Amino acid sequence: MTAQHPRIVQYDDAAVAEAAALIRAGGIVAVPTETVYGLAADATDAEAVARIYAAKGRPSFNPLIVHLPDLAAAERIAIFDSHACALATRWWPGPLTLVLPLRPDSGIASLVTAGLDTIAIRVPAHRAMQALLAATGRPLAAPSANASNAISPTRAAHVAASLRERVPLILDDGPTSAGLESTIVGSAMILRPGPITAEQLGLPNAPPSEQITAPGQLATHYAPAKPLRLDAISRAPDEWLIGFGAITGDDTLSPAGNPIEAAARLFDALHRADAAPPPRIAIAPIPAAGIGAAINDRLRRAAHR
Ligand code: TXA
Ligand code: MG
């Protein structure tokens, strides 16, 4: 294998152990689910999650789905009402994602939810994803394992063609069974149609304005409560400065100027800025290349209130 190609390993115990070791070290791994191949990372590790966005080249921090081994594990992350409990009992493990209130003590990195107070979770049925969940003991964030704006992968070869050297390891367990991303349910509506149908669920489709069609289309993006000034090279007396690289702030996203580290820390830094005494927030310029485009997209949204 050259550096241009990911390692593709057939599913077996040794392959799962290798994938789990990568995840536990903060890396990313492509793994099949019953719907599409996902690009998985430890959902409690903000830098690992930032590597997912970087590998996909996602234009914005669209929130990710978190995969759990069972309902008990899911209940430690999100708050279930009786309707959610009934759906989970009926359809999990399987291709159903529930958007539920996030537990404040969940330990999930805020980059996973893009700073929202809800979280999308599911218990997958596929043996490979289940084995990886068991071997890592971590909740796994996983969007579809394709470059942003490309078609979702249903075979290991699709992942390799789309992400190439940006994914180090692909766990290959043949073509996925559902081949369509999971059905997403939130607020007793179908937010994204999928393998489990409206008829099966007995739920209405959300009006088009609330459906999730493309990254960055959610209306409820995180925005700080305070005014935010972009591209600041120094701090005004009434500002809290979030620095980057050579610009040192009250808080500095990445003193080394590493955009992946900056992405991992961005939402936490904005939360801290909101909680700090100064009435205004300023943030240093972040280069637009790579994941910097996503950072700047989110910052523009956060600044235009
Ligand atoms: O089948 C699937 O769901 C696959 C496999 C890998 O599990 N995953 C997948 O993830 O399709 P992704 O990231 O491509 O799609 C996740 C969708 C996005 O459209 C996102 O906007 C939505 O879930 N989402 C995530 N968290 C949300 C939240 N808190 N509220 C509303 N929508 C949310
Ligand atoms: Mg996708």
Side-chain angles (χ1 to χ4, degrees):
M1 292 279 161
T2 73
Q4 296 307 303
H5 300 282
R7 238 168 80 66
I8 301 180
V9 292
Q10 292 299 316
Y11 171 82
D12 65 13
D13 289 351
V16 170
E18 183 180 350
L22 266 174
I23 297 272
R24 294 189 73 107
I28 56 176
V29 170
V31 53
T33 76
E34 70 276 39
T35 59
V36 298
Y37 275 69
L39 188 59
D42 179 353
T44 67
D45 179 341
E47 278 201 41
V49 174
R51 290 193 180 95
I52 294 177
Y53 287 100
K56 283 179 68 80
R58 244 185 182 177
S60 70
F61 293 136
N62 200 26
L64 306 178
I65 295 173
V66 172
H67 300 69
L68 285 317
D70 52 35
L71 177 56
E75 283 176 323
R76 290 193 287 274
I77 305 286
I79 299 166
F80 283 69
D81 61 15
S82 59
H83 184 239
C85 244
L87 286 174
T89 305
R90 169 67 182 85
W91 294 105
W92 283 353
L96 177 69
T97 295
L98 299 175
V99 175
L100 297 172
L102 177 66
R103 281 195 187 281
D105 60 350
S106 67
I108 298 293
S110 55
L111 189 54
V112 170
T113 56
L116 299 175
D117 56 10
T118 56
I119 186 164
I121 52 176
R122 78 182 190 95
V123 173
H126 198 284
R127 65 175 182 173
M129 183 57 118
Q130 277 290 348
L132 194 58
L133 286 162
T136 57
R138 305 281 165 84
L140 297 178
S144 50
N146 52 276
S148 185
N149 293 327
I151 295 167
S152 289
T154 57
R155 293 173 181 275
H158 298 165
V159 180
S162 189
L163 296 177
R164 288 176 297 193
E165 78 287 353
R166 298 196 298 278
V167 58
L169 186 73
I170 304 173
L171 208 53
D172 185 355
D173 199 14
T176 63
S177 56
L180 267 185
E181 297 93 339
S182 61
T183 305
I184 302 181
V185 170
S187 310
M189 286 183 298
I190 296 175
L191 302 177
R192 180 176 74 181
I196 301 178
T197 65
E199 291 73 20
Q200 287 175 304
L201 292 167
L203 292 174
N205 282 299
S209 61
E210 294 189 43
Q211 282 178 25
I212 301 159
T213 51
Q217 289 202 335
L218 287 176
T220 42
H221 277 291
Y222 176 79
K226 297 172 183 173
L228 174 65
R229 184 168 68 90
L230 306 182
D231 298 324
I233 53 171
S234 64
R235 175 200 300 99
D238 63 346
E239 285 176 337
W240 171 273
L241 178 64
I242 301 173
F244 176 80
I247 299 176
T248 302
D250 298 287
D251 199 359
T252 302
L253 289 177
S254 170
N258 176 348
I260 291 182
E261 185 185 16
R265 300 195 53 215
L266 179 65
F267 287 114
D268 288 331
L270 288 172
H271 278 296
R272 266 197 299 280
D274 255 348
R280 317 176 79 81
I281 308 169
I283 185 162
I286 314 285
I291 198 172
I295 295 172
N296 283 291
D297 171 84
R298 292 297 295 115
L299 288 175
R300 277 192 298 274
R301 290 168 196 275
H304 288 142
R305 301 179 307 146

